[in-house]
Amino acid sequence: MSAGTIPVEPLAEEETLSLGERAYRRLRDGIVQGTLRPGSRISERSMAQALGISAQPVREALRRLEHDGMVVTLPRRGTVVAEIGPERLAELGRIRAALEGVAAALAAERMSGEDLAELAAIVRSMRGATAAADAEALAELNERFHAILQGATGNLFLVKSLEALRAYDDLGRLRALGSTPKDMPKALREHASILAALKTRDPALAEARMRHHVLRSLTTNGVLAAPRQGR
């Protein structure tokens, strides 16, 4: 793969993140969005030229992506984008649901009053966005809701683990049909119920409601199969 054919944009100098982090995010986004296709080879030197940086940050980014399972190193081929099938996405979705549930339980015990107030404001904004069927606004609000909740756990390992899984969630969403306006009220009710459990400082209830929310969302997006009736 030559530098002229790599479908990534050069990194902007004014960005404040480290070069390694910026390269990681750019490559991860390329994989999620499909511009870096499964099986395609990633050359450190060519990718560094395409991004306008040295090879070292690209090497760091590729190590992280390999740890995340998004690229693999093969004999005589080097680093290639991994094939991520529906079964793998389903497995990772279930793992994310479990970790999100743990995050909600910890947040119920540790979340500050300021964080709870911010989540309440987000849920109010979600009501307006749901009424307007504004999917883009809801996606942003959803991201903020989960980020604040996860940050409130004070557990960096948990936060980093969920960050690593987020790309797979985005990949599954892009491959699926996605939610429709009729699903938006469900998501709103689920966020409101999670917030209620957090306010009452009930870890078990917060965990159960969060797990239900994530699993229902993954089923709606086609990542998980719908449960069979009568079971």
Side-chain angles (χ1 to χ4, degrees), residues 87-107:
E87 296 83 4
R88 179 90 187 278
L89 286 175
E91 284 179 359
L92 293 167
R94 292 188 180 93
I95 293 170
R96 186 171 77 83
L99 292 181
E100 291 262 22
V102 172
L106 291 174

Side-chain angles (χ1 to χ4, degrees), residues 18-181:
S18 72
L19 286 174
E21 180 67 26
R22 287 151 58 188
Y24 168 77
R25 294 188 182 195
R26 187 63 54 83
L27 294 175
R28 183 191 64 186
D29 290 347
I31 294 169
V32 169
Q33 294 163 9
T35 54
L36 295 173
R37 302 185 64 80
S40 61
R41 183 173 177 271
I42 301 178
S43 160
E44 284 183 13
R45 180 181 297 178
S46 297
M47 188 60 69
Q49 291 175 356
L51 294 173
I53 58 177
S54 68
Q56 177 57 36
V58 174
R59 192 173 303 121
E60 176 188 332
L62 291 175
R63 280 199 299 265
R64 289 182 61 186
L65 288 167
E66 186 162 23
H67 182 267
D68 294 345
M70 303 198 81
V71 302
V72 294
T73 301
L74 300 176
R76 296 183 295 280
R77 286 198 64 194
T79 302
V80 299
V81 178
E83 298 278 353
I84 304 170
E87 296 83 4
R88 179 90 187 278
L89 286 175
E91 284 179 359
L92 293 167
R94 292 188 180 93
I95 293 170
R96 186 171 77 83
L99 292 181
E100 291 262 22
V102 172
L106 291 174
E109 297 173 336
R110 302 173 181 179
M111 183 167 274
S112 68
E114 291 83 357
D115 285 338
L116 285 169
E118 191 166 359
L119 289 187
I122 289 173
V123 170
R124 288 194 296 272
S125 296
M126 283 179 168
R127 290 196 177 95
T130 298
D134 189 338
E136 186 174 343
L138 282 171
E140 182 179 341
L141 291 164
N142 176 72
E143 184 108 356
R144 286 173 52 200
F145 185 98
H146 288 265
I148 291 169
L149 185 152
Q150 291 164 21
T153 66
N155 189 310
L156 184 60
F157 176 80
L158 180 58
V159 172
K160 290 293 185 183
S161 298
L162 284 165
E163 283 180 0
L165 289 168
R166 186 172 299 128
Y168 292 100
D169 187 39
D170 293 339
L171 181 59
R173 188 179 295 113
L174 285 173
R175 290 185 181 178
L177 295 176
S179 58
T180 61

